[in-house]
Amino acid sequence: MTAVLPELKQRPASGLAHVADDLLLMAETAAIFGLSGVQAAELRSALLAGDRVAAPVLARLGLEAPAAGIPPAPQIHPVRALALTVSQTCNLACGYCYAAGGSFGGADTRMGWDVAKRAIDQLIEATVPGGGVKIAFMGGEPMVARDLIRRSVTYANKRGATRAIQVGYSLTTNGTLISPKDAAFFARHRFAVTVSLDGGKEVNDRLRPDRAGKGSFKRVAQRLAPLLDHRDRISLGARVTVTPQNLDLSQVVDDIAALGFASVGVSPMISSPTGQGALAGQDFARLLAGMMACGDAWMSATLAGRAHPFANLATVLGELHRGSPRSHGCGAARDYLAVDAAGEYSACHRFVKDPLGAMGDLDNGPNDAARAAFLEARTVERQSPCQTCWARRLCGGGCHQEVLHAGRPACDFVRGWLDYGLRAYGRLNAVQPDWFDAQP
Amino acid sequence: MTGGPRQLNKARKADANGNPAYPQPVLGNPVSTLMESGVGNCFPGLEFDLRQLDVRFFPGLVFEFLGITPAGPDGTQGARLTYAFPKGDPIIADKYTDDGQAWVTDLKKQYAGPAGAALGSGTWYLHFVEQDGKRIMLYDYSLYQNGVGLVPYEGETAWWIIRLIEAEKPLTIALTQRAADGSPSGSPVVLTGRRRMFLNDEGMIDPVYHPGELTSSMCSPWTHDFRDCACHYWASNHPDVVLGEVDDPQQQLPDGTDKDDPAQAVTFIDWMRRRHLPLKDVSAQTTLEKARPDRYDPYEINLHWEELDFVLQGQESKGTTDLKKLQPQEPYEQLEELIEDLHELAGMELTLALEYLYAYFSLREPDGVTPEQEMAWPGLTEDVRAARQLILSVALSEMTHLRWVNQTLWLIYAAYPEMGSYEPVLSPTKIDAGPDSKTGHSGTGVLRPATQNVLQNFVDIERPGGDLDTEYVKLVAYLREYMDHFPEGLYQLAVRIDSDGMQHYQKFRDVKRILQPYAAQEALYLRPVQEAKPDSAEVQPALDLVDIALEALRKGYLIEANLGDMSVANAEIKTARDAMHKLSDVALSLARKNIGVPFFARLQ
């Protein structure tokens, strides 16, 4: 594929470390060091020359890179978060939808109470008393199954209380069906609500039509008010699916923020079941440029003490500061499973009805052997292009579902974005180190 | 370049063996640090590390608050259970009776059950605390791309939460074991009880805290005064106030210190006073604000440390001690001389104890002060009360010394059998007071009421550098010289008796000062007591009690000296004590009839 950034024209030869401005990222430990200008220049050229040249240069700085090996098989512990695919149907018909209109390629189905109840039982019973779990209501459009959501929350609270388990809730919705009563309910139970929106009216309506082909923007905007009224108790954010049609991210983020969202996150569409709307080729360069523009705006606002809605940079900065190297891109299969209407577990909400991510069913409980096998196979150390990539322990190998279905078309974008994130980290850490202390 | 590039983020440092990059930091003082190690901290509340109180916040359990290691979070941070030892906890040990507090009884049952058994093995961490329906889980919840991470709070944060727990309210806590990443595993143990009260009913720090425990995490820097370092826990270790140097302890110089008020010896002065100011004899101020202008600021210690005095036993000492001054004029040359002096000293302690007792009974009782008198002499009641207490305390102290001198004797005889055998010394020594005696009739066996003159005599005989003190100084010097030749502890005993003399001296000065306003009308505080004739029928019961007490002491001392049956010896001492209590009652009722007991009537 075409290079995204001039300086990332080629994959760097060394996977030991990466230099961005005067920061050094150690690939294996995710530790970040400050360098002098001379050190940075020396290391940058050494890393381009490959591991054999880079290793002694690093060692001279007291930074022996630990050998990267296959990590021990992950411990399987009880799931801490569960997605209930309460409705496998949707009132919208977005062309790129991973659930293919909510049905995951099958007939429209809604989850029955029995399935939800048993899933909640299994989640709570497996959890250490006094612990906490999260339940995510997914779809389709979950608000189609409003009654089931309410019943599940009431039940999970009661069930959790008997074992002193705190249950947290989240919901991903297209926002078109939310009523004031729903918002009050979400507020009472402290939901985290993510509204999918793809941009301002024109852009959004093109990308997110209803089944009759009419745009959804106006309806969403009208339905937002009750959610915004409860902003103090609902953690509210917007999520943008980036396709070739809405790559003007600064505009997209501004348009959505204008609706009242304090947090807007973007995620690129890489694998779509229909093949429609996925990013490809030069799209990634535009995506990166757009995200960097949003990042610059976020940084200016933050340094000036103002809030900015662009969430992706804040997330990256927090992760870089935390510095915990990862072997998987996310918690799927390890901490998180999804349950569908048929009562089958899958590695996450995107693997519903996908044999590659099948993780057992409610009759037999989560299949821990399948989870272990999945995690071991998907560990980034086993991924062949990843082993020699400096970003492997930050990226974790990417989204399992995308990789299994679309490969890794976006690695240059990921490295470019992390390189940008590192530079931003150095800048913010130098000027406003307090920012990191304030992060949850 | 020095030290290599600086790490900016919180990633764990790598180590080939999987060990943390740095060893655990050494926190605070060595375990041998004692409470006494910090003698002069200027910040009330910083005499110890407040955080150490909370390691025992829950009765029966001891925690430690572990921070994040330099290598980053490793799953061990937080409030880790050091051990569970309910039986060693006074709350549980003392109050586990049927009539104990219900929550204590209940907690004991919990410890006796599965909860206690579970805590007996494995590594446990505080999981949550709950009070008033509010539960705080001691974890950071992090959500990232659908993964929920439970990262335990570090120890400091756990402590912040623990210190918010209120006392005297039900409290529920849970402990859990942990997986390698710090997330909870297995079944937690839940306990209900209450937070420990740090002070007991008497206002003392709960005895559950061991010596040194509350200071064990503190630093004891001695080369600098960290008093102005208000941000951290420093134990300073210099004295705030000291006794000034005594230029002339033996009052040998013609211009020796003022006889009535040798301020140098008895006034506490500020150790940090600016030496170029003429503040030598000025009492230390009572507050820091008042003291500050005249004392070095803490940061100046580094500049002026050479001016600050050494302090030995509370007293400043400049430069090299003149050993000659410490030496008594006539050191003992023979052990016989020492033994002879000890016999005299023992008798003298008895003589003085009885003289002081007589003076004590000569004082009016506070209850006897009439409202009219109190109206005319405000404070008279309390003054009389204070005077009585002070004199009685000195008399009791002399009785203690009587025993200690006897003990000194029997230990010496035990070490040197060739010197003879020990016989208890329980008869008074009476000195002949010459016409120019500095101490009036004190020590002569003359019983006198506590008039101003008599009190001045008492002050004089107890004065540091006076005759009595000099005797003990000789004893101390001798025992120090030949410490190895005597049983362990003998030297300390002598030092103790000698230093008590200073207290006696100060107490009598106080009594005299307290009663000074009534000097013109001594009847205000004195009874018109007359010493009864030795054969007076009224005082025979009192004299019998003196005999009983001394006889019982004689028997008790003999048994102890011969390493006999201690229970019998103790019974004798108890007999003596009971007799003295009775004597106190009898002598008091006689005093109310203005009859003084002729204590020496039957004593030779």
Side-chain angles (χ1 to χ4, degrees), chain A residues 23 29-34 39 61 80 128-130 132 164 315 319-323 326 329-331 335-336 349 425 429, chain B residues 1 4-12 14 127-128 135 137 141-148 150 179 183-186 188:
Chain A
L23 293 194
T29 59
I32 298 171
F33 294 90
Q39 290 168 340
L61 294 173
R80 291 174 178 143
V128 175
T315 306
E319 285 297 306
L320 287 176
H321 189 63
R322 195 189 302 253
R326 58 180 77 246
C330 67
D335 299 318
Y336 176 70
H349 56 279
Y425 177 74
N429 202 17
Chain B
M1 191 200 82
R6 188 170 65 92
Q7 182 167 338
L8 302 177
N9 68 350
K10 300 199 280 189
R12 285 188 73 174
H127 185 48
F128 68 71
R135 168 176 301 181
M137 310 288 302
Y141 281 71
S142 63
L143 274 169
Y144 180 70
Q145 297 195 350
N146 305 326
V148 182
L150 287 183
S183 59
S185 73

Side-chain angles (χ1 to χ4, degrees), chain B residues 35-54:
Chain B
M35 202 69 151
E36 299 90 284
S37 305
V39 293
N41 204 299
C42 301
F43 277 111
L46 290 190
E47 283 83 2
F48 54 81
D49 182 346
L50 203 60
R51 294 170 292 194
Q52 285 296 106
L53 287 168
D54 278 319

Side-chain angles (χ1 to χ4, degrees), chain A residues 19-46:
Chain A
V19 175
D21 284 349
D22 56 353
L23 293 194
L24 172 74
L25 168 81
M26 293 301 289
E28 194 56 28
T29 59
I32 298 171
F33 294 90
L35 299 176
S36 69
V38 176
Q39 290 168 340
E42 185 188 15
L43 263 176
R44 193 175 287 120
S45 61

Side-chain angles (χ1 to χ4, degrees), chain A residues 198-210:
Chain A
D198 287 353
K201 182 167 177 8
E202 191 199 339
V203 173
N204 187 74
D205 285 353
R206 190 152 23 96
L207 285 166
R208 301 179 65 82
D210 66 14

Side-chain angles (χ1 to χ4, degrees), chain B residues 387-434:
Chain B
R388 283 168 61 89
Q389 281 174 357
L390 287 167
I391 295 180
L392 181 61
S393 74
V394 178
L396 293 174
S397 173
E398 299 292 14
M399 295 179 207
T400 310
H401 289 182
L402 174 64
R403 186 229 150 78
W404 285 349
V405 179
N406 268 282
Q407 188 172 356
T408 304
L409 272 171
W410 80 58
L411 288 171
I412 290 175
Y413 279 116
Y416 295 93
E418 67 274 17
M419 301 307 295
S421 59
Y422 165 73
E423 275 298 321
V425 185
L426 291 162
S427 41
T429 300
K430 296 177 186 175
I431 51 177
D432 294 324

